[in-house]
Amino acid sequence: MRSLKHLLAAALIGLSSVVVVASAAAAEGVQTIYMNASGDDARDGATPGSAVRSLARVQQLVAAGPLDTDVEVRIHAGTYVAQGIVWQTYRPGHTITFMPDDYEYGEGRDGIAALPVFQNARASGSGRYITGPWFYACPGNPGQPLAGGGTAGLRFYYLQVEHYASSALSLDGSAGSCGGGYQPSSAPGLPSARGLNGNTAFGMRFTKIGNAYTGGSCDDPDFLRCGYGGIVLTESSDNRIENNHFVDLRNSENSYIHAVYVTHKSSRNRFAGNQVTGVSSEPIKVRDGSNFNTFEQNVFGANGFLRASPSMVHYREEVNEAGNECSSYHNRFVGNDLGTYLIGSTANLPVWLLTPPGPTYKGAAACPALPAGEVRLTTANNAY
């Protein structure tokens, strides 16, 4: 499979007047940073009246703040136009939360006036959408927190992300992360030795992701741009992905892109209560030693656009033997509403596919056998 390339730069910085808004009071012992689409990145973000405009400025403020507190990034409703950001700033043992400024923990969508919208920017010369994901998180720089990976504690609540090329949210804890291409951090079949773990995406809306909306092609060297997933996990474990909407994730080739792509030693992730519609390849894809993941109680709408090979399914696990990849095991796809999936106009899609086949197939020669009693996938109570 083609490498996932992250050609990223800092988010666009714009300067304009500040609109003062009512907002939730800052929690005690929490660094609160306010964002506003009319904000000013020359300011400190400490109050609604001194709100900043870009995630690039937010990252500067988090890096300059105390390491022993949580962070809340309170975002006013509006449209934030910027290319994606590379995020490498963390508070070990604490969380960094991105949410609407009127959000209160535990409330639903009805409690929020409007979802803040993060929309991809266009290149100033060509006018093309800029390549890469919206939010690409990887371990910290040398000498900085989480330089060797670990629990990142990033949390995203009730935001809308649109018109990004490769993914909306990409969490990458691999040895070659931060733009260096995938390099495994441990031997085949062993857990990640780094990881970027313990993150949350809840109530988000990911829409118009992939080259069908940004231009380009998965195969065109002059305009190489390929969508891989709404959320892409690479050596990223123990994440909670719940109650999100994945709407219209498509490549023009009707291939490669998924609602969630769980790849390369990404384990113990929970994908539950999500709504998925308009995805041009398998909504769920798992790959290479990604174990103990759960996909349950999701609602799938009309997806399953034609793909020549292999056959389209809801859940697919893939092993690339030539890449020394290993099978994944103890994954569960249960209790899902399979919606209206069609091949052409005649048949519902199958539920799952293992490639290569075999419930206990281990993968490449270098891979250990699956643990005794384990199988690659368990399915139950999925229904149209």
Side-chain angles (χ1 to χ4, degrees):
M1 180 170 179
R2 299 160 180 81
S3 296
L4 176 58
K5 297 181 183 298
H6 303 284
L7 304 177
L8 302 170
L12 297 177
I13 295 176
L15 301 177
S16 62
S17 61
V18 173
V19 177
V20 179
V21 298
S23 179
E28 184 177 354
V30 173
Q31 180 186 4
T32 303
I33 301 171
Y34 292 92
M35 285 186 70
N36 193 299
S38 299
D40 186 335
D41 277 355
R43 300 190 177 184
D44 63 8
T47 67
S50 61
V52 301
R53 186 174 181 177
S54 73
L55 289 173
R57 178 58 174 153
V58 169
Q59 183 162 214
Q60 292 175 348
L61 295 169
V62 175
L67 287 175
D68 59 351
T69 63
D70 293 338
V71 178
E72 290 182 357
V73 183
R74 294 268 176 185
I75 306 167
H76 188 56
T79 299
Y80 298 78
V81 179
Q83 72 181 90
I85 186 164
V86 177
W87 190 273
Q88 295 182 265
T89 304
Y90 306 97
R91 300 277 178 88
H94 295 275
T95 58
I96 302 173
T97 305
F98 303 84
M99 58 187 150
D101 58 2
D102 56 350
Y103 175 68
E104 296 181 8
Y105 293 111
E107 72 179 355
R109 173 66 182 84
D110 291 345
I112 302 163
L115 303 184
V117 176
F118 287 87
Q119 186 180 94
N120 195 11
R122 295 177 183 266
S124 57
S126 66
R128 293 173 170 176
Y129 283 110
I130 298 171
T131 192
W134 166 61
F135 198 105
Y136 174 58
C138 52
N141 287 310
Q144 298 300 311
L146 264 64
T151 301
L154 299 173
R155 305 193 301 181
F156 305 87
Y157 293 98
Y158 292 104
L159 309 174
Q160 178 165 317
V161 182
E162 60 186 36
H163 283 100
Y164 287 87
S166 60
S167 64
L169 179 59
S170 182
L171 306 174
D172 185 353
S174 71
S177 62
C178 301
Y182 178 64
Q183 299 173 23
S185 67
S186 58
L190 295 181
S192 171
R194 284 164 56 92
L196 197 71
N197 309 322
N199 307 289
T200 297
F202 189 94
M204 300 284 286
R205 181 179 174 86
F206 304 111
T207 186
K208 294 180 171 58
I209 305 298
N211 67 32
Y213 305 103
T214 65
S217 166
C218 294
D219 300 306
D220 183 354
D222 296 323
F223 197 8
L224 188 63
R225 186 170 296 174
C226 198
Y228 291 87
I231 297 178
V232 177
L233 305 178
T234 306
E235 295 204 19
S236 182
S237 300
D238 300 304
N239 299 298
R240 177 191 178 204
I241 303 169
E242 296 184 4
N243 198 36
N244 304 287
H245 287 223
F246 298 81
V247 182
D248 293 336
L249 282 65
R250 297 174 178 164
N251 288 325
S252 59
E253 300 89 349
N254 291 336
S255 61
Y256 298 110
I257 196 164
H258 318 278
V260 62
Y261 185 8
V262 182
T263 183
H264 300 313
K265 306 173 187 286
S266 294
S267 299
R268 300 177 305 279
N269 297 292
R270 176 176 169 80
F271 185 87
N274 300 286
Q275 295 188 32
V276 180
T277 189
V279 180
S280 66
S281 191
E282 300 91 356
I284 308 296
K285 183 173 179 180
V286 176
R287 182 176 168 192
D288 188 22
S290 298
N291 313 316
F292 291 91
N293 296 292
T294 299
F295 308 89
E296 63 182 0
Q297 304 301 319
N298 301 289
V299 177
F300 297 95
N303 303 285
F305 299 92
L306 293 178
R307 179 175 174 179
S309 178
S311 300
M312 285 290 300
V313 294
H314 296 80
Y315 172 103
R316 181 176 177 222
E317 187 224 324
E318 178 181 79
V319 179
N320 179 3
E321 290 180 310
N324 267 339
E325 293 184 6
C326 301
S327 292
S328 305
Y329 63 85
H330 205 108
N331 291 314
R332 300 174 67 250
F333 188 82
V334 298
N336 296 288
D337 181 343
L338 302 181
T340 306
Y341 278 70
L342 301 175
I343 300 174
S345 60
T346 60
N348 290 323
L349 286 173
V351 177
W352 55 270
L353 178 68
L354 305 178
T355 54
T360 59
Y361 167 77
K362 69 170 188 166
C367 298
L370 270 60
E374 291 287 3
V375 294
R376 294 163 70 182
L377 176 66
T378 298
T379 65
N381 301 321
N382 302 293
Y384 283 99

